[in-house]
Amino acid sequence: HALLCDVQSYHLHAAGVATSEAPCGPYTFLHAVRPGGLGSLDATLFQDDDGSAFHVQDVEHEYVAVLELNAEYTNATGRVATTLRARREGLALFKWEGMYLLATSRVTGWNPNPSEVYARRELYGDESGWVSLGNPFNHPTKATSHHSQPAHVLVYETVTGRSAAIWIADRWCVEEKSIGCNDEWCECLLRATYIWLPLQLELGRSSHNPTCTVHWQDQWQPEMPKWRHGRRARGQEAHFS
């Protein structure tokens, strides 16, 4: 598990590393590092199909770096897979039909803004490999991404054998959305929540205009995942509203 590791003065710009035998813990804190010797603000982890893993980080609000992790996933190897020369945060890297996609937010503190998704065919390579797919939101609130910031994109195989994707985003300072919140540490963050929405992707190699769209739903039920290990627990169903 990687986490933003900093103090209230917000000057460390480091990533913390903790390990556990199970996703729900307990975790043992290992160390705080600046992966690749670079300052790390908003960050995420990505594991590719071959088991290789990467730390994706906002470097000092100047650009995004995708750094290769060591075999233990505890630090960067020093090799930079690629960079995105744009001031972006709220990062979520995922893969769909062989294409790598990076969901991002602009740098506007706790206040929401239009999201932007970038795509590339190969993860390794220079920044020219990125193509912007624009703002994925098609709702009247697209200027604020439904008042949210990207956190993760969950890609999974459904019981019918198709691939599905869920866009997961943070909702910061919801009570302040009409006036904005400019505090570095705001009490409204304690009441932050999430939105989970279906993500539609049309990225086939034959597509001349690849698209990535988040559809607003007041209430929805995602298709059940294909359970690979044993039976699912009774009542283990997903329903969002």
Side-chain angles (χ1 to χ4, degrees):
H1 181 67
L3 60 150
L4 175 64
C5 190
D6 221 313
V7 292
Q8 193 162 349
S9 60
Y10 210 58
H11 70 272
L12 293 182
H13 296 184
V17 181
T19 61
S20 173
E21 295 295 327
C24 294
Y27 282 87
T28 301
F29 183 78
L30 295 183
H31 52 230
V33 297
R34 287 190 170 193
L38 303 172
S40 179
L41 298 175
D42 275 13
T44 188
L45 296 174
F46 170 73
Q47 185 183 48
D48 211 341
D49 300 333
D50 62 1
S52 58
F54 302 83
H55 190 261
V56 186
Q57 63 197 66
D58 164 13
V59 182
E60 308 290 0
H61 287 336
E62 295 178 1
Y63 65 97
V64 177
V66 181
L67 304 179
E68 186 181 81
L69 292 181
N70 60 22
E72 295 75 30
Y73 299 176
T74 56
N75 205 342
T77 63
R79 184 181 183 187
V80 179
T82 190
T83 58
L84 174 66
R85 294 288 168 175
R87 299 183 69 245
R88 313 299 296 184
E89 62 179 11
L91 310 171
L93 181 64
F94 62 104
K95 192 173 184 180
W96 183 269
E97 295 181 351
M99 181 176 282
Y100 299 90
L101 296 105
L102 179 63
T104 72
S105 164
R106 296 178 185 175
V107 181
T108 56
W110 305 116
N111 301 309
N113 57 70
S115 299
E116 187 168 2
V117 175
Y118 296 85
R120 62 184 299 133
R121 289 294 180 188
E122 303 292 338
L123 190 55
Y124 286 89
D126 62 40
E127 61 186 276
S128 65
W130 291 109
V131 175
S132 175
L133 303 185
N135 185 349
F137 291 88
N138 64 353
H139 190 268
T141 58
K142 65 181 181 180
T144 63
S145 305
H146 302 322
H147 202 81
S148 69
Q149 183 182 58
H152 182 65
V153 175
L154 177 63
V155 177
Y156 67 98
E157 183 182 359
T158 70
V159 290
T160 60
R162 75 177 191 91
S163 295
I166 299 176
W167 180 281
I168 303 171
D170 294 296
R171 270 191 164 172
W172 310 114
C173 299
V174 176
E175 297 93 337
E176 310 295 331
K177 63 182 178 182
S178 61
I179 58 175
C181 179
N182 298 312
D183 297 332
E184 288 189 7
W185 301 97
C186 181
E187 288 187 2
C188 67
L189 298 176
L190 300 175
R191 297 182 292 279
T193 184
Y194 294 98
I195 61 170
W196 290 49
L197 290 169
L199 178 61
Q200 181 178 343
L201 297 131
E202 297 292 340
L203 303 173
R205 294 185 181 274
S206 61
S207 174
H208 297 291
N209 297 297
T211 60
C212 174
T213 309
V214 179
H215 294 282
W216 177 260
Q217 304 281 343
D218 290 330
Q219 189 177 78
W220 69 290
Q221 185 168 345
E223 191 172 349
M224 290 298 296
K226 182 177 181 180
W227 299 91
R228 296 185 180 280
H229 303 289
R231 297 181 177 178
R232 64 178 176 87
R234 180 178 297 176
Q236 196 168 8
E237 281 137 5
H239 187 79
F240 303 108
S241 62

